[in-house]
Amino acid sequence: MNHYLLTYHLAPDYLERRPQFREPHLALAWAAAERGELVLGGAVEDPVDTALLLFAGAGPEAAEAFARADPYVTEGIVERWTVRRWATVVGEHAAHPVRAERQA
């Protein structure tokens, strides 16, 4: 299992246009979460210009498919998106835990 960050770069009018697409977006997101693909997701605040969605899986396909189907993307309130592997190494849910040889 690996982690993948789907990063949305939001349009300047994102907050104004979001309400009309929020229900189908949330339905898509919760379905992905229930399948175990989407771990966490949400907008980054101050300013709200980016959103981050953390996916888990063998490859980036679930994150990429999500973005292609997301009404936020298809309706243009996401200007562009990227998917990158995130090499998580610390924490209970790290994909590839690495511990110090000597604990501090």
Side-chain angles (χ1 to χ4, degrees):
M1 189 244 343
N2 295 304
H3 285 129
Y4 294 89
L5 277 178
L6 170 57
T7 304
Y8 280 174
H9 300 275
L10 306 174
D13 62 352
Y14 167 80
L15 288 175
E16 292 79 28
R17 294 182 55 212
R18 177 178 67 176
Q20 62 187 314
F21 308 114
R22 196 161 198 198
E23 286 297 318
H25 164 78
L26 290 173
L28 186 70
W30 279 105
E34 289 165 3
R35 288 191 303 272
E37 298 167 351
L38 178 56
V39 179
L40 291 170
V44 178
E45 295 184 339
D46 296 324
V48 178
D49 61 355
T50 306
L52 299 172
L53 296 95
L54 174 60
F55 283 80
E61 295 81 12
E64 292 167 348
F66 180 90
R68 286 188 195 100
D70 189 353
Y72 285 4
V73 172
T74 62
E75 297 298 329
I77 62 173
V78 170
E79 292 185 328
R80 65 185 174 86
W81 56 270
T82 60
V83 175
R84 296 180 63 187
R85 183 170 176 250
W86 185 18
T88 55
V89 297
V90 175
E92 180 181 344
H93 302 289
H96 306 282
V98 177
R99 294 195 177 269
E101 290 184 29
R102 289 193 268 168
Q103 294 296 331

